[in-house]
Amino acid sequence: MHVLVVEDDARLSRLLKRLLTQDRHVVETALTAEDGLEIATSGTELDAVILDVGLPDRSGFDVARLLRRNGSQVPILMLTARDAVSDRVEGLDAGADDYLVKPFAYEELLARLRALARRPPTRKAVALRSGPFELDEATRRVTVGGKPVDLSQREFSILECLLRRPGQVLSRDQLLDYAWPYGVALTPNTVEAYIHLLREKVGNSAAVHIETVRGVGYRLREG
Ligand code: CA
């Protein structure tokens, strides 16, 4: 298995890497949430992510949420420091598949990993539709009136965000948070530029279009 370990405790990280490697897994490690997200979203095919909750830059819950929001279905095993019910619930809500309370026995970690690998993906990616727009989250394919449209990752995310909340006005900041998950410093003008590109690509069909709501944001509007 190709496993990513996101853990800021350098000693534990090294230990996990050594043990997992001995067990014939291919292991990548990240000491921060940001590095972990970068590896997980860089196109590397991962079979599992071992994710610590307490990370220096943002929580493991956030990392899990961002991965799921980006459409990743990689099995996530969360490492929590306390056996608090609220932590477990938050972890599972955030998209983790399983959790392990520190300190844990290494054999148990391996057993959980094997179980995760056997489990079929639980989150079904959905096809979002509105009027002529169809967006398939699993294949990341977008069609307008049945014709495929080639979108960049950001354009795809923006359209996805709008399609998830048809008719609802979304602010530029909301779209920024959704489509640029790393807290990259961008201005709302960036969103405007992408909306412009997106409109050119998907066209402004009479049935459904991306409407500018002055001073507020954008929405997908029918009719
Ligand atoms: Ca930690």
Side-chain angles (χ1 to χ4, degrees), residues 3-223:
V3 183
L4 169 64
V5 177
V6 188
E7 166 63 67
D8 62 316
D9 179 339
R11 245 188 72 212
L12 179 57
S13 172
R14 276 197 303 274
L15 177 69
L16 287 176
K17 179 166 183 163
R18 202 180 66 227
L19 294 169
L20 288 166
T21 306
Q22 278 170 11
D23 216 54
R24 297 176 174 213
H25 298 293
V26 177
V27 183
E28 315 232 18
T29 57
L31 296 172
T32 63
E34 191 169 344
D35 284 354
L37 281 166
E38 177 129 13
I39 294 171
T41 57
S42 65
T44 316
E45 280 290 324
L46 293 171
D47 299 302
V49 177
I50 298 174
L51 181 59
D52 184 32
V53 169
L55 295 166
D57 44 348
R58 49 165 91 207
S59 78
F61 301 132
D62 276 354
V63 175
R65 264 190 289 272
L66 289 169
L67 285 176
R68 295 305 182 224
R69 223 158 68 176
N70 266 352
S72 168
Q73 296 190 35
V74 65
I76 297 175
L77 176 62
M78 210 103 183
L79 303 180
T80 70
R82 300 163 292 157
D83 187 14
V85 174
S86 60
D87 272 14
R88 277 179 275 159
V89 171
E90 185 169 2
L92 296 173
D93 275 353
D97 298 274
D98 199 1
Y99 62 90
L100 204 52
V101 179
K102 289 179 180 177
F104 48 84
Y106 180 64
E107 287 69 28
E108 185 169 12
L109 177 83
L110 279 187
R112 300 286 183 96
L113 266 187
R114 280 194 295 270
L116 281 187
R118 280 195 302 266
R119 198 184 291 182
T122 44
R123 259 161 302 284
K124 263 213 324 253
V126 283
L128 300 170
R129 277 187 204 90
S130 186
F133 297 139
E134 189 168 331
L135 179 150
D136 189 326
E137 294 185 318
T139 59
R140 298 190 75 78
R141 233 173 77 100
V142 173
T143 57
V144 180
K147 287 194 190 119
V149 181
D150 204 16
L151 297 183
S152 73
Q153 196 190 328
R154 300 296 166 227
E155 292 159 356
F156 180 94
S157 297
I158 290 173
L159 185 61
E160 183 182 32
C161 190
L162 289 166
L163 277 168
R164 278 176 175 273
R165 300 163 186 79
Q168 193 180 322
V169 182
L170 296 168
S171 70
R172 291 168 180 80
D173 283 339
Q174 279 175 303
L175 290 169
L176 266 183
D177 284 348
Y178 190 91
W180 283 267
Y182 305 120
V184 186
L186 294 165
T187 69
N189 288 342
T190 313
V191 175
E192 226 161 282
Y194 273 90
I195 290 278
H196 183 78
L197 288 171
L198 194 53
R199 280 193 182 126
E200 287 197 333
K201 287 192 182 174
V202 300
N204 249 340
S205 103
V208 178
H209 60 277
I210 301 168
E211 181 188 44
T212 304
V213 181
R214 214 167 249 288
V216 189
Y218 303 94
R219 74 174 149 196
L220 209 59
R221 194 188 157 103
E222 292 194 36

